[in-house]
Amino acid sequence: MVFQIPGVKFDFDIIKKYDTPVPRYTSYPPATELTEEFTERDFQTAIAASNQRKSPLSLYFHIPFCQSACYFCGCNVVISNNKNIAKPYVDYLVRDIQKTASLIDADRRVFQIHWGGGTPNYLSLEQVEHLWKNITQNFDVSPTAEVSIEINPRYIDKNYIFSLREIGFNRISFGIQDFNTQVQAAVNRIQPEEMLFDVMNSIQEAKFESVNVDLIYGLPHQTVETFQETLRKTIALNPDRIAVFNFAYVPWLKPVQQNISLDALPKAEEKLEILKMTVEELTNHQYLFIGMDHFAKPNDELAVSQRDRTLKRNFQGYTTLAQAELFGLGATSISMLEDTYTQNYKQLKDYYQAIDRGLLPTSRGIRLTQDDILRREIIMSIMCHFQLYKQDIEHKYHLNFDEYFAPELEELKRLEEDGLVRLSKNHISVTEIGRLLVRNIVVLFDTHVKKQEQRFSRAI
């Protein structure tokens, strides 16, 4: 069966054929390639090299705490109702900020800041203000910087939302997942509809420049009909961006998911129908399919950046600041420099101990080879723009594309036969059928991909 939707074509047989575990490619190489052989001293060396490039900066701050566990969660979080646990963390995060900033040239300007988690609004407003003050004291933050924060709508009020805007946040994101009460109960995240609309009304009244909401398909008890109702209520909220994530059921990696019964999950066929309906519903309401799991209004920065061919991906997903180098601060945060990726310690005690020793809290990392950098550009171009111009690669990297990637082009011919790509002398383009399976296309350029497929979520 083949169904046509603007920008996307559903061929259920092809989707089933290619629905295999593959990396999400928020980075290349994937984060699974980071190793403990990479040391804190290696990261300091990488920062020094980064200073020579003078690239603009993007900063990520991880707040790992949540008041209750969501059973679908795949994040690194600490569950506690005792908010005193956040006080030492904020103190250590300030020291992390100061140490990292001391190694970065002061004339490098910050154009993007994102607070994620966990639940950033787990912190008191006083703690948020304290962190913000230390950020602006230690980094040169552009007056026009994109400053975004994730919030949990269950633990926030109008005053907190307005205060975030006054502090300096201009973009905001919150998780809905599903409006259906049965689904909410099954994943331990009860969010009354009225509450969600009240939160959105406060956000809009506070005049945030962009609002993103998250949904998840594939959760227990979901059906096409119930999720369509969720989509219609979400559209009524009128967010600028909507992310619709595929629920990755990996209880062997994330024990909290053991609270979800496998029998309650929608079957593969139902899940595909939910995805088809989702793309159709959103595109019919003027949201553009950006790629993977993101939709945006035509005038949103993501859509504009995609049209300008400047859209990129990093560990936070799609980003509009193509040339920025990302520094992650806080436990479990990931930094992404031009030729180096690192991750901080995940456990609080390890994170604290490293900072007490006067070190960057680096637990693992990887230095990219020139081949990694080349393949990353190809993978990200296809992921973000669904096309690749061979000449762009040849001119930048001084190589003959067809010779360098002869094995990959042979494999792409098989995908071309199935209608996923179109190959020409100078161009590789993803078809409307291939857009939903773009991860299966770019994996052909991945020399790091593991045989242990359980590391990755399924493509659909």
PDB file of all heavy atoms in Angstrom, residues 174 176 179 193 196-201 204 211 213 215 227-242 281-282 285 287 297:
ATOM      1  N   PHE A 174       7.930  22.140  26.083  1.00  0.00           N
ATOM      2  CA  PHE A 174       7.375  21.269  27.129  1.00  0.00           C
ATOM      3  C   PHE A 174       6.782  20.006  26.527  1.00  0.00           C
ATOM      4  O   PHE A 174       6.379  19.977  25.363  1.00  0.00           O
ATOM      5  CB  PHE A 174       6.352  22.008  28.011  1.00  0.00           C
ATOM      6  CG  PHE A 174       5.090  22.466  27.329  1.00  0.00           C
ATOM      7  CD1 PHE A 174       3.950  21.680  27.327  1.00  0.00           C
ATOM      8  CD2 PHE A 174       5.035  23.713  26.723  1.00  0.00           C
ATOM      9  CE1 PHE A 174       2.779  22.115  26.730  1.00  0.00           C
ATOM     10  CE2 PHE A 174       3.865  24.161  26.121  1.00  0.00           C
ATOM     11  CZ  PHE A 174       2.734  23.364  26.128  1.00  0.00           C
ATOM     12  N   ILE A 176       4.099  17.085  26.123  1.00  0.00           N
ATOM     13  CA  ILE A 176       2.707  16.666  26.257  1.00  0.00           C
ATOM     14  C   ILE A 176       2.648  15.141  26.221  1.00  0.00           C
ATOM     15  O   ILE A 176       2.024  14.510  27.050  1.00  0.00           O
ATOM     16  CB  ILE A 176       1.831  17.253  25.125  1.00  0.00           C
ATOM     17  CG1 ILE A 176       1.795  18.780  25.226  1.00  0.00           C
ATOM     18  CG2 ILE A 176       0.414  16.670  25.185  1.00  0.00           C
ATOM     19  CD1 ILE A 176       1.110  19.441  24.049  1.00  0.00           C
ATOM     20  N   PHE A 179      -2.548  13.437  25.150  1.00  0.00           N
ATOM     21  CA  PHE A 179      -3.629  14.022  25.950  1.00  0.00           C
ATOM     22  C   PHE A 179      -4.518  12.948  26.588  1.00  0.00           C
ATOM     23  O   PHE A 179      -5.252  13.230  27.527  1.00  0.00           O
ATOM     24  CB  PHE A 179      -4.512  14.924  25.072  1.00  0.00           C
ATOM     25  CG  PHE A 179      -4.018  16.335  24.943  1.00  0.00           C
ATOM     26  CD1 PHE A 179      -3.229  16.721  23.870  1.00  0.00           C
ATOM     27  CD2 PHE A 179      -4.360  17.294  25.887  1.00  0.00           C
ATOM     28  CE1 PHE A 179      -2.787  18.031  23.737  1.00  0.00           C
ATOM     29  CE2 PHE A 179      -3.924  18.609  25.762  1.00  0.00           C
ATOM     30  CZ  PHE A 179      -3.137  18.978  24.685  1.00  0.00           C
ATOM     31  N   GLU A 193      -5.865  18.285  30.566  1.00  0.00           N
ATOM     32  CA  GLU A 193      -5.914  19.134  29.376  1.00  0.00           C
ATOM     33  C   GLU A 193      -5.976  20.615  29.745  1.00  0.00           C
ATOM     34  O   GLU A 193      -5.277  21.448  29.145  1.00  0.00           O
ATOM     35  CB  GLU A 193      -7.131  18.734  28.542  1.00  0.00           C
ATOM     36  CG  GLU A 193      -7.345  19.558  27.298  1.00  0.00           C
ATOM     37  CD  GLU A 193      -8.584  19.106  26.543  1.00  0.00           C
ATOM     38  OE1 GLU A 193      -8.974  17.923  26.668  1.00  0.00           O
ATOM     39  OE2 GLU A 193      -9.171  19.936  25.830  1.00  0.00           O
ATOM     40  N   LEU A 196      -2.585  22.037  30.609  1.00  0.00           N
ATOM     41  CA  LEU A 196      -1.709  22.239  29.463  1.00  0.00           C
ATOM     42  C   LEU A 196      -2.086  23.508  28.701  1.00  0.00           C
ATOM     43  O   LEU A 196      -1.206  24.264  28.256  1.00  0.00           O
ATOM     44  CB  LEU A 196      -1.755  21.014  28.548  1.00  0.00           C
ATOM     45  CG  LEU A 196      -1.158  19.735  29.140  1.00  0.00           C
ATOM     46  CD1 LEU A 196      -1.475  18.538  28.253  1.00  0.00           C
ATOM     47  CD2 LEU A 196       0.344  19.861  29.342  1.00  0.00           C
ATOM     48  N   PHE A 197      -3.370  23.751  28.544  1.00  0.00           N
ATOM     49  CA  PHE A 197      -3.793  24.964  27.848  1.00  0.00           C
ATOM     50  C   PHE A 197      -3.489  26.202  28.688  1.00  0.00           C
ATOM     51  O   PHE A 197      -3.130  27.254  28.135  1.00  0.00           O
ATOM     52  CB  PHE A 197      -5.286  24.882  27.494  1.00  0.00           C
ATOM     53  CG  PHE A 197      -5.541  24.179  26.193  1.00  0.00           C
ATOM     54  CD1 PHE A 197      -5.620  22.791  26.130  1.00  0.00           C
ATOM     55  CD2 PHE A 197      -5.676  24.890  25.012  1.00  0.00           C
ATOM     56  CE1 PHE A 197      -5.843  22.140  24.928  1.00  0.00           C
ATOM     57  CE2 PHE A 197      -5.895  24.256  23.811  1.00  0.00           C
ATOM     58  CZ  PHE A 197      -5.987  22.865  23.756  1.00  0.00           C
ATOM     59  N   ASP A 198      -3.603  26.101  30.000  1.00  0.00           N
ATOM     60  CA  ASP A 198      -3.260  27.229  30.866  1.00  0.00           C
ATOM     61  C   ASP A 198      -1.773  27.568  30.757  1.00  0.00           C
ATOM     62  O   ASP A 198      -1.391  28.752  30.708  1.00  0.00           O
ATOM     63  CB  ASP A 198      -3.616  26.914  32.319  1.00  0.00           C
ATOM     64  CG  ASP A 198      -5.109  26.993  32.600  1.00  0.00           C
ATOM     65  OD1 ASP A 198      -5.839  27.555  31.743  1.00  0.00           O
ATOM     66  OD2 ASP A 198      -5.546  26.473  33.645  1.00  0.00           O
ATOM     67  N   VAL A 199      -0.924  26.531  30.742  1.00  0.00           N
ATOM     68  CA  VAL A 199       0.513  26.750  30.605  1.00  0.00           C
ATOM     69  C   VAL A 199       0.825  27.423  29.280  1.00  0.00           C
ATOM     70  O   VAL A 199       1.599  28.398  29.221  1.00  0.00           O
ATOM     71  CB  VAL A 199       1.280  25.414  30.747  1.00  0.00           C
ATOM     72  CG1 VAL A 199       2.733  25.574  30.295  1.00  0.00           C
ATOM     73  CG2 VAL A 199       1.232  24.919  32.183  1.00  0.00           C
ATOM     74  N   MET A 200       0.215  26.942  28.192  1.00  0.00           N
ATOM     75  CA  MET A 200       0.460  27.552  26.886  1.00  0.00           C
ATOM     76  C   MET A 200      -0.037  28.998  26.855  1.00  0.00           C
ATOM     77  O   MET A 200       0.630  29.884  26.295  1.00  0.00           O
ATOM     78  CB  MET A 200      -0.201  26.741  25.776  1.00  0.00           C
ATOM     79  CG  MET A 200       0.008  27.331  24.376  1.00  0.00           C
ATOM     80  SD  MET A 200       1.757  27.472  23.901  1.00  0.00           S
ATOM     81  CE  MET A 200       1.947  25.964  22.949  1.00  0.00           C
ATOM     82  N   ASN A 201      -1.169  29.264  27.460  1.00  0.00           N
ATOM     83  CA  ASN A 201      -1.677  30.636  27.493  1.00  0.00           C
ATOM     84  C   ASN A 201      -0.698  31.567  28.215  1.00  0.00           C
ATOM     85  O   ASN A 201      -0.460  32.701  27.771  1.00  0.00           O
ATOM     86  CB  ASN A 201      -3.042  30.679  28.184  1.00  0.00           C
ATOM     87  CG  ASN A 201      -4.153  30.085  27.321  1.00  0.00           C
ATOM     88  OD1 ASN A 201      -4.034  30.021  26.103  1.00  0.00           O
ATOM     89  ND2 ASN A 201      -5.221  29.641  27.958  1.00  0.00           N
ATOM     90  N   GLN A 204       2.354  32.164  25.921  1.00  0.00           N
ATOM     91  CA  GLN A 204       2.043  33.105  24.849  1.00  0.00           C
ATOM     92  C   GLN A 204       1.867  34.520  25.386  1.00  0.00           C
ATOM     93  O   GLN A 204       2.285  35.490  24.752  1.00  0.00           O
ATOM     94  CB  GLN A 204       0.807  32.623  24.095  1.00  0.00           C
ATOM     95  CG  GLN A 204       1.065  31.340  23.313  1.00  0.00           C
ATOM     96  CD  GLN A 204      -0.189  30.700  22.744  1.00  0.00           C
ATOM     97  OE1 GLN A 204      -1.290  30.934  23.236  1.00  0.00           O
ATOM     98  NE2 GLN A 204      -0.021  29.874  21.720  1.00  0.00           N
ATOM     99  N   VAL A 211       7.789  28.405  20.658  1.00  0.00           N
ATOM    100  CA  VAL A 211       7.311  27.379  21.584  1.00  0.00           C
ATOM    101  C   VAL A 211       7.321  26.025  20.877  1.00  0.00           C
ATOM    102  O   VAL A 211       6.770  25.882  19.781  1.00  0.00           O
ATOM    103  CB  VAL A 211       5.888  27.676  22.090  1.00  0.00           C
ATOM    104  CG1 VAL A 211       5.489  26.652  23.157  1.00  0.00           C
ATOM    105  CG2 VAL A 211       5.780  29.094  22.639  1.00  0.00           C
ATOM    106  N   VAL A 213       6.485  21.810  21.456  1.00  0.00           N
ATOM    107  CA  VAL A 213       5.877  20.780  22.301  1.00  0.00           C
ATOM    108  C   VAL A 213       6.298  19.410  21.775  1.00  0.00           C
ATOM    109  O   VAL A 213       6.526  19.228  20.581  1.00  0.00           O
ATOM    110  CB  VAL A 213       4.337  20.890  22.355  1.00  0.00           C
ATOM    111  CG1 VAL A 213       3.918  22.237  22.924  1.00  0.00           C
ATOM    112  CG2 VAL A 213       3.707  20.655  20.992  1.00  0.00           C
ATOM    113  N   LEU A 215       5.501  15.266  21.511  1.00  0.00           N
ATOM    114  CA  LEU A 215       4.562  14.149  21.558  1.00  0.00           C
ATOM    115  C   LEU A 215       5.353  12.867  21.374  1.00  0.00           C
ATOM    116  O   LEU A 215       6.472  12.880  20.850  1.00  0.00           O
ATOM    117  CB  LEU A 215       3.507  14.271  20.454  1.00  0.00           C
ATOM    118  CG  LEU A 215       2.678  15.561  20.399  1.00  0.00           C
ATOM    119  CD1 LEU A 215       1.758  15.532  19.179  1.00  0.00           C
ATOM    120  CD2 LEU A 215       1.868  15.734  21.666  1.00  0.00           C
ATOM    121  N   PHE A 227      -4.820   9.069  19.181  1.00  0.00           N
ATOM    122  CA  PHE A 227      -3.695   9.964  18.917  1.00  0.00           C
ATOM    123  C   PHE A 227      -4.100  11.091  17.970  1.00  0.00           C
ATOM    124  O   PHE A 227      -3.543  12.190  18.025  1.00  0.00           O
ATOM    125  CB  PHE A 227      -2.496   9.195  18.361  1.00  0.00           C
ATOM    126  CG  PHE A 227      -1.192   9.921  18.563  1.00  0.00           C
ATOM    127  CD1 PHE A 227      -0.690  10.120  19.838  1.00  0.00           C
ATOM    128  CD2 PHE A 227      -0.464  10.409  17.493  1.00  0.00           C
ATOM    129  CE1 PHE A 227       0.512  10.799  20.043  1.00  0.00           C
ATOM    130  CE2 PHE A 227       0.731  11.077  17.674  1.00  0.00           C
ATOM    131  CZ  PHE A 227       1.227  11.278  18.959  1.00  0.00           C
ATOM    132  N   GLN A 228      -5.071  10.828  17.111  1.00  0.00           N
ATOM    133  CA  GLN A 228      -5.577  11.901  16.260  1.00  0.00           C
ATOM    134  C   GLN A 228      -6.218  12.997  17.117  1.00  0.00           C
ATOM    135  O   GLN A 228      -6.058  14.191  16.839  1.00  0.00           O
ATOM    136  CB  GLN A 228      -6.578  11.367  15.241  1.00  0.00           C
ATOM    137  CG  GLN A 228      -7.058  12.423  14.253  1.00  0.00           C
ATOM    138  CD  GLN A 228      -7.894  11.822  13.139  1.00  0.00           C
ATOM    139  OE1 GLN A 228      -8.723  10.941  13.366  1.00  0.00           O
ATOM    140  NE2 GLN A 228      -7.684  12.291  11.921  1.00  0.00           N
ATOM    141  N   GLU A 229      -6.912  12.593  18.168  1.00  0.00           N
ATOM    142  CA  GLU A 229      -7.497  13.575  19.082  1.00  0.00           C
ATOM    143  C   GLU A 229      -6.400  14.360  19.793  1.00  0.00           C
ATOM    144  O   GLU A 229      -6.511  15.583  19.983  1.00  0.00           O
ATOM    145  CB  GLU A 229      -8.402  12.868  20.095  1.00  0.00           C
ATOM    146  CG  GLU A 229      -9.153  13.803  21.024  1.00  0.00           C
ATOM    147  CD  GLU A 229     -10.143  14.698  20.313  1.00  0.00           C
ATOM    148  OE1 GLU A 229     -10.554  14.378  19.178  1.00  0.00           O
ATOM    149  OE2 GLU A 229     -10.513  15.739  20.896  1.00  0.00           O
ATOM    150  N   THR A 230      -5.331  13.676  20.189  1.00  0.00           N
ATOM    151  CA  THR A 230      -4.183  14.369  20.784  1.00  0.00           C
ATOM    152  C   THR A 230      -3.601  15.390  19.819  1.00  0.00           C
ATOM    153  O   THR A 230      -3.280  16.520  20.200  1.00  0.00           O
ATOM    154  CB  THR A 230      -3.104  13.347  21.199  1.00  0.00           C
ATOM    155  OG1 THR A 230      -3.496  12.728  22.419  1.00  0.00           O
ATOM    156  CG2 THR A 230      -1.750  14.008  21.416  1.00  0.00           C
ATOM    157  N   LEU A 231      -3.461  15.022  18.557  1.00  0.00           N
ATOM    158  CA  LEU A 231      -2.905  15.942  17.563  1.00  0.00           C
ATOM    159  C   LEU A 231      -3.795  17.164  17.378  1.00  0.00           C
ATOM    160  O   LEU A 231      -3.305  18.300  17.268  1.00  0.00           O
ATOM    161  CB  LEU A 231      -2.718  15.221  16.231  1.00  0.00           C
ATOM    162  CG  LEU A 231      -1.548  14.240  16.168  1.00  0.00           C
ATOM    163  CD1 LEU A 231      -1.647  13.390  14.914  1.00  0.00           C
ATOM    164  CD2 LEU A 231      -0.216  14.987  16.198  1.00  0.00           C
ATOM    165  N   ARG A 232      -5.087  16.959  17.346  1.00  0.00           N
ATOM    166  CA  ARG A 232      -5.997  18.081  17.138  1.00  0.00           C
ATOM    167  C   ARG A 232      -5.953  19.052  18.318  1.00  0.00           C
ATOM    168  O   ARG A 232      -6.030  20.271  18.131  1.00  0.00           O
ATOM    169  CB  ARG A 232      -7.406  17.554  16.892  1.00  0.00           C
ATOM    170  CG  ARG A 232      -7.518  16.889  15.518  1.00  0.00           C
ATOM    171  CD  ARG A 232      -8.857  16.243  15.260  1.00  0.00           C
ATOM    172  NE  ARG A 232      -8.882  15.700  13.886  1.00  0.00           N
ATOM    173  CZ  ARG A 232      -9.833  14.920  13.418  1.00  0.00           C
ATOM    174  NH1 ARG A 232     -10.859  14.576  14.183  1.00  0.00           N
ATOM    175  NH2 ARG A 232      -9.779  14.483  12.165  1.00  0.00           N
ATOM    176  N   LYS A 233      -5.832  18.524  19.526  1.00  0.00           N
ATOM    177  CA  LYS A 233      -5.694  19.401  20.687  1.00  0.00           C
ATOM    178  C   LYS A 233      -4.337  20.112  20.672  1.00  0.00           C
ATOM    179  O   LYS A 233      -4.235  21.286  21.063  1.00  0.00           O
ATOM    180  CB  LYS A 233      -5.867  18.589  21.968  1.00  0.00           C
ATOM    181  CG  LYS A 233      -7.294  18.091  22.176  1.00  0.00           C
ATOM    182  CD  LYS A 233      -7.411  17.183  23.392  1.00  0.00           C
ATOM    183  CE  LYS A 233      -8.856  16.700  23.560  1.00  0.00           C
ATOM    184  NZ  LYS A 233      -9.007  15.765  24.699  1.00  0.00           N
ATOM    185  N   THR A 234      -3.314  19.402  20.223  1.00  0.00           N
ATOM    186  CA  THR A 234      -1.985  20.009  20.127  1.00  0.00           C
ATOM    187  C   THR A 234      -1.990  21.146  19.110  1.00  0.00           C
ATOM    188  O   THR A 234      -1.431  22.230  19.368  1.00  0.00           O
ATOM    189  CB  THR A 234      -0.938  18.949  19.737  1.00  0.00           C
ATOM    190  OG1 THR A 234      -0.929  17.902  20.723  1.00  0.00           O
ATOM    191  CG2 THR A 234       0.449  19.569  19.644  1.00  0.00           C
ATOM    192  N   ILE A 235      -2.596  20.930  17.973  1.00  0.00           N
ATOM    193  CA  ILE A 235      -2.691  21.973  16.949  1.00  0.00           C
ATOM    194  C   ILE A 235      -3.455  23.184  17.486  1.00  0.00           C
ATOM    195  O   ILE A 235      -3.111  24.339  17.199  1.00  0.00           O
ATOM    196  CB  ILE A 235      -3.351  21.404  15.675  1.00  0.00           C
ATOM    197  CG1 ILE A 235      -2.400  20.390  15.009  1.00  0.00           C
ATOM    198  CG2 ILE A 235      -3.719  22.521  14.698  1.00  0.00           C
ATOM    199  CD1 ILE A 235      -3.064  19.526  13.955  1.00  0.00           C
ATOM    200  N   ALA A 236      -4.474  22.924  18.312  1.00  0.00           N
ATOM    201  CA  ALA A 236      -5.236  24.022  18.913  1.00  0.00           C
ATOM    202  C   ALA A 236      -4.368  24.856  19.850  1.00  0.00           C
ATOM    203  O   ALA A 236      -4.620  26.052  20.040  1.00  0.00           O
ATOM    204  CB  ALA A 236      -6.444  23.466  19.666  1.00  0.00           C
ATOM    205  N   LEU A 237      -3.338  24.257  20.440  1.00  0.00           N
ATOM    206  CA  LEU A 237      -2.402  25.012  21.276  1.00  0.00           C
ATOM    207  C   LEU A 237      -1.586  26.005  20.453  1.00  0.00           C
ATOM    208  O   LEU A 237      -1.064  26.986  20.986  1.00  0.00           O
ATOM    209  CB  LEU A 237      -1.443  24.061  21.995  1.00  0.00           C
ATOM    210  CG  LEU A 237      -1.991  23.236  23.168  1.00  0.00           C
ATOM    211  CD1 LEU A 237      -0.930  22.253  23.637  1.00  0.00           C
ATOM    212  CD2 LEU A 237      -2.424  24.124  24.312  1.00  0.00           C
ATOM    213  N   ASN A 238      -1.417  25.690  19.167  1.00  0.00           N
ATOM    214  CA  ASN A 238      -0.726  26.582  18.223  1.00  0.00           C
ATOM    215  C   ASN A 238       0.764  26.772  18.533  1.00  0.00           C
ATOM    216  O   ASN A 238       1.273  27.894  18.524  1.00  0.00           O
ATOM    217  CB  ASN A 238      -1.421  27.947  18.185  1.00  0.00           C
ATOM    218  CG  ASN A 238      -1.022  28.761  16.956  1.00  0.00           C
ATOM    219  OD1 ASN A 238      -0.725  28.201  15.904  1.00  0.00           O
ATOM    220  ND2 ASN A 238      -1.007  30.071  17.099  1.00  0.00           N
ATOM    221  N   PRO A 239       1.512  25.687  18.792  1.00  0.00           N
ATOM    222  CA  PRO A 239       2.956  25.834  18.994  1.00  0.00           C
ATOM    223  C   PRO A 239       3.660  26.118  17.672  1.00  0.00           C
ATOM    224  O   PRO A 239       3.138  25.825  16.589  1.00  0.00           O
ATOM    225  CB  PRO A 239       3.369  24.478  19.553  1.00  0.00           C
ATOM    226  CG  PRO A 239       2.388  23.520  18.944  1.00  0.00           C
ATOM    227  CD  PRO A 239       1.087  24.277  18.875  1.00  0.00           C
ATOM    228  N   ASP A 240       4.863  26.666  17.752  1.00  0.00           N
ATOM    229  CA  ASP A 240       5.650  26.935  16.549  1.00  0.00           C
ATOM    230  C   ASP A 240       6.286  25.664  16.001  1.00  0.00           C
ATOM    231  O   ASP A 240       6.455  25.528  14.791  1.00  0.00           O
ATOM    232  CB  ASP A 240       6.741  27.960  16.866  1.00  0.00           C
ATOM    233  CG  ASP A 240       6.162  29.263  17.371  1.00  0.00           C
ATOM    234  OD1 ASP A 240       5.639  30.030  16.550  1.00  0.00           O
ATOM    235  OD2 ASP A 240       6.209  29.486  18.601  1.00  0.00           O
ATOM    236  N   ARG A 241       6.642  24.755  16.905  1.00  0.00           N
ATOM    237  CA  ARG A 241       7.273  23.497  16.508  1.00  0.00           C
ATOM    238  C   ARG A 241       6.593  22.353  17.255  1.00  0.00           C
ATOM    239  O   ARG A 241       6.168  22.515  18.397  1.00  0.00           O
ATOM    240  CB  ARG A 241       8.768  23.480  16.843  1.00  0.00           C
ATOM    241  CG  ARG A 241       9.565  24.613  16.242  1.00  0.00           C
ATOM    242  CD  ARG A 241      11.007  24.580  16.713  1.00  0.00           C
ATOM    243  NE  ARG A 241      11.756  25.732  16.230  1.00  0.00           N
ATOM    244  CZ  ARG A 241      13.023  26.004  16.544  1.00  0.00           C
ATOM    245  NH1 ARG A 241      13.689  25.170  17.355  1.00  0.00           N
ATOM    246  NH2 ARG A 241      13.631  27.069  16.064  1.00  0.00           N
ATOM    247  N   ILE A 242       6.538  21.208  16.597  1.00  0.00           N
ATOM    248  CA  ILE A 242       6.012  20.000  17.225  1.00  0.00           C
ATOM    249  C   ILE A 242       6.992  18.867  16.934  1.00  0.00           C
ATOM    250  O   ILE A 242       7.305  18.590  15.774  1.00  0.00           O
ATOM    251  CB  ILE A 242       4.618  19.628  16.688  1.00  0.00           C
ATOM    252  CG1 ILE A 242       3.629  20.782  16.922  1.00  0.00           C
ATOM    253  CG2 ILE A 242       4.102  18.350  17.348  1.00  0.00           C
ATOM    254  CD1 ILE A 242       2.269  20.550  16.282  1.00  0.00           C
ATOM    255  N   GLU A 281      -1.967  14.736   9.328  1.00  0.00           N
ATOM    256  CA  GLU A 281      -2.694  15.726  10.125  1.00  0.00           C
ATOM    257  C   GLU A 281      -1.887  17.021  10.262  1.00  0.00           C
ATOM    258  O   GLU A 281      -2.427  18.126  10.096  1.00  0.00           O
ATOM    259  CB  GLU A 281      -3.002  15.147  11.506  1.00  0.00           C
ATOM    260  CG  GLU A 281      -4.011  15.930  12.311  1.00  0.00           C
ATOM    261  CD  GLU A 281      -5.449  15.691  11.882  1.00  0.00           C
ATOM    262  OE1 GLU A 281      -5.742  14.633  11.279  1.00  0.00           O
ATOM    263  OE2 GLU A 281      -6.279  16.574  12.147  1.00  0.00           O
ATOM    264  N   LEU A 282      -0.611  16.907  10.543  1.00  0.00           N
ATOM    265  CA  LEU A 282       0.205  18.099  10.765  1.00  0.00           C
ATOM    266  C   LEU A 282       0.480  18.859   9.472  1.00  0.00           C
ATOM    267  O   LEU A 282       0.429  20.090   9.441  1.00  0.00           O
ATOM    268  CB  LEU A 282       1.510  17.725  11.468  1.00  0.00           C
ATOM    269  CG  LEU A 282       1.350  17.212  12.903  1.00  0.00           C
ATOM    270  CD1 LEU A 282       2.704  16.839  13.503  1.00  0.00           C
ATOM    271  CD2 LEU A 282       0.660  18.245  13.792  1.00  0.00           C
ATOM    272  N   HIS A 285      -2.285  20.924   8.376  1.00  0.00           N
ATOM    273  CA  HIS A 285      -2.482  22.128   9.181  1.00  0.00           C
ATOM    274  C   HIS A 285      -1.257  23.045   9.104  1.00  0.00           C
ATOM    275  O   HIS A 285      -0.932  23.751  10.057  1.00  0.00           O
ATOM    276  CB  HIS A 285      -2.797  21.749  10.634  1.00  0.00           C
ATOM    277  CG  HIS A 285      -4.188  21.239  10.822  1.00  0.00           C
ATOM    278  ND1 HIS A 285      -4.528  19.918  10.604  1.00  0.00           N
ATOM    279  CD2 HIS A 285      -5.345  21.870  11.179  1.00  0.00           C
ATOM    280  CE1 HIS A 285      -5.828  19.756  10.833  1.00  0.00           C
ATOM    281  NE2 HIS A 285      -6.335  20.919  11.182  1.00  0.00           N
ATOM    282  N   TYR A 287       1.953  22.670   9.022  1.00  0.00           N
ATOM    283  CA  TYR A 287       3.263  22.385   9.605  1.00  0.00           C
ATOM    284  C   TYR A 287       4.113  21.658   8.561  1.00  0.00           C
ATOM    285  O   TYR A 287       3.632  20.721   7.901  1.00  0.00           O
ATOM    286  CB  TYR A 287       3.139  21.522  10.863  1.00  0.00           C
ATOM    287  CG  TYR A 287       2.649  22.288  12.073  1.00  0.00           C
ATOM    288  CD1 TYR A 287       1.287  22.360  12.376  1.00  0.00           C
ATOM    289  CD2 TYR A 287       3.544  22.953  12.908  1.00  0.00           C
ATOM    290  CE1 TYR A 287       0.831  23.064  13.486  1.00  0.00           C
ATOM    291  CE2 TYR A 287       3.094  23.660  14.016  1.00  0.00           C
ATOM    292  CZ  TYR A 287       1.740  23.710  14.299  1.00  0.00           C
ATOM    293  OH  TYR A 287       1.296  24.420  15.397  1.00  0.00           O
ATOM    294  N   LYS A 297       6.230  25.425  11.712  1.00  0.00           N
ATOM    295  CA  LYS A 297       5.497  26.360  10.870  1.00  0.00           C
ATOM    296  C   LYS A 297       6.442  26.918   9.800  1.00  0.00           C
ATOM    297  O   LYS A 297       7.651  27.013  10.020  1.00  0.00           O
ATOM    298  CB  LYS A 297       4.919  27.497  11.717  1.00  0.00           C
ATOM    299  CG  LYS A 297       3.794  27.061  12.652  1.00  0.00           C
ATOM    300  CD  LYS A 297       3.253  28.260  13.421  1.00  0.00           C
ATOM    301  CE  LYS A 297       2.073  27.854  14.308  1.00  0.00           C
ATOM    302  NZ  LYS A 297       1.537  28.998  15.080  1.00  0.00           N
TER     303      LYS A 297
END
